[in-house]
Amino acid sequence: MRTLIRDVRAFDGVRAVEGADVLMVDGHIAEPDGLRADVEVDGAGRTLLPGLIDAHTHTFDGSLARALSYGVTTELDMFCLPSNLRRQRKLAADRDDVADLRSAGVLATAPGGHPTGVMAAISTMLENPEDAVGPFDTIADPARAASFVAARAAEGSDYLKIVIDDGAMAGTPVPALGRDTAAALVDAARAAGLKTIAHACTAREAALALDAGVDGLAHVWADTPAGDPVTDVLAARAAGRGVFVVSTLAYFESIGGDGSDRLSRAAHAAGALHRAGVPLLAGTDANPFAPSHGDGLHRELELLVRAGLSPLEALAAGTGVTARCFGLADRGRIAPGLRADLVLVDGDPTREIVASRSVVDVWRRGIRRSR
């Protein structure tokens, strides 16, 4: 199957190219060769984007289909119990009307630690309650790090999520992993070839995660107000260590509302990280409720622009930057040889980010899904 999109503004994951022709052949992007295409699409007045990547989700039944309908062609799940993960992986592998999936599988948390209480509450509202709760592995001391990581690798986890959260942000104290256990998990994951992403919501927790040597943070921190020097110091530390940070501004908005102190502090941290040169990845913490899968990522892009990124930088945070930081070499850009995961939108989101919402067509592995 040969599909040619003619005369389109193409954001290639880094920059915008006007009047481009983009050819898809058998599920991959190819160099335009002048030969007749089976399908031609007029791209005039429209923008072609790499398939969007949400760098922080929690995936349940229906999540991947909803995500794809909004142009999110890949979700990076940050906690999924084995039975649910097996079902979602099979769905993503077998069908092209849902988004692709990568997952941390079972996260590393202390017994009784976050997100035990949250998931118990969610389970009461799910069709399959066992997808949210049920016995899952926890870790209490550094001596278990190697066996914990080995179990996750055997289950097919693509990376390891480490919870460093004592409940201070939520005002409900919970057990949390100590620095030594977190560092032992990072070392064991690195030996197993897995990246590590830390769940941390306060500046203190983020500092502990950096001390442990993680590759990335699953949230910006949201407890330091504008003008607090801790923010710039921590951003500089993250930059110096080569750490990436998933923004999840839409999550902070969903729990506090637009204009809340929590959102404004999270946005301030995101801006400081961006100014320090830390790679920001667009992620939402999408779940069955709010933020929602798919459209939540478009809101995330808007909030990143509000925090100080340009529209081009925000689009990169939702495509090429995330693909690079998570080692997804086959997607996140528009280039020959890569997967034909693409989104066609009306207007120009490289100038007005809100135009990313105007999805016309989505291709996953070259299969077209008209909106």
Side-chain angles (χ1 to χ4, degrees), residues 19-79:
D21 293 338
V22 178
L23 177 66
M24 291 175 265
V25 179
D26 298 331
H28 290 81
I29 300 167
E31 290 279 7
D33 52 18
L35 300 178
R36 184 176 180 82
D38 300 298
V39 176
E40 291 196 6
V41 178
D42 183 8
R46 293 171 170 173
T47 303
L48 189 68
L49 308 173
L52 299 173
I53 304 172
D54 191 332
H56 188 143
T57 71
H58 298 283
T59 304
F60 298 93
D61 291 342
S63 300
L64 298 178
R66 180 180 174 84
L68 190 74
S69 71
Y70 285 91
V72 176
T73 57
T74 303
E75 286 203 344
L76 303 183
D77 174 85
M78 289 294 164
F79 176 39

Side-chain angles (χ1 to χ4, degrees), residues 91-122:
L91 184 70
D94 291 349
R95 292 168 51 176
D96 288 306
D97 59 348
V98 299
D100 200 7
L101 178 69
R102 298 291 185 274
S103 180
V106 174
L107 48 68
T109 193
H114 178 84
T116 305
V118 174
M119 299 308 286
I122 288 177

Side-chain angles (χ1 to χ4, degrees), residues 185-219:
L185 285 164
V186 169
D187 290 342
R190 189 163 292 134
L194 299 179
K195 288 184 180 292
T196 52
I197 298 91
H199 168 99
C201 291
T202 67
R204 187 189 66 82
E205 293 162 356
L208 287 173
L210 295 179
D211 290 342
V214 298
D215 296 298
L217 301 178
H219 301 275

Side-chain angles (χ1 to χ4, degrees), residues 132-226:
V133 294
F136 66 89
D137 206 0
T138 58
I139 179 169
D141 62 76
R144 276 217 60 224
S147 62
F148 184 94
V149 170
R152 306 292 76 76
E155 290 168 353
S157 293
D158 297 295
Y159 37 85
L160 181 69
K161 183 180 178 184
I162 301 171
V163 176
I164 305 175
D165 182 348
D166 62 8
M169 177 66 72
T172 306
V174 294
L177 295 178
R179 180 181 302 161
D180 290 346
T181 303
L185 285 164
V186 169
D187 290 342
R190 189 163 292 134
L194 299 179
K195 288 184 180 292
T196 52
I197 298 91
H199 168 99
C201 291
T202 67
R204 187 189 66 82
E205 293 162 356
L208 287 173
L210 295 179
D211 290 342
V214 298
D215 296 298
L217 301 178
H219 301 275
V220 298
W221 57 93
D223 64 329
T224 54

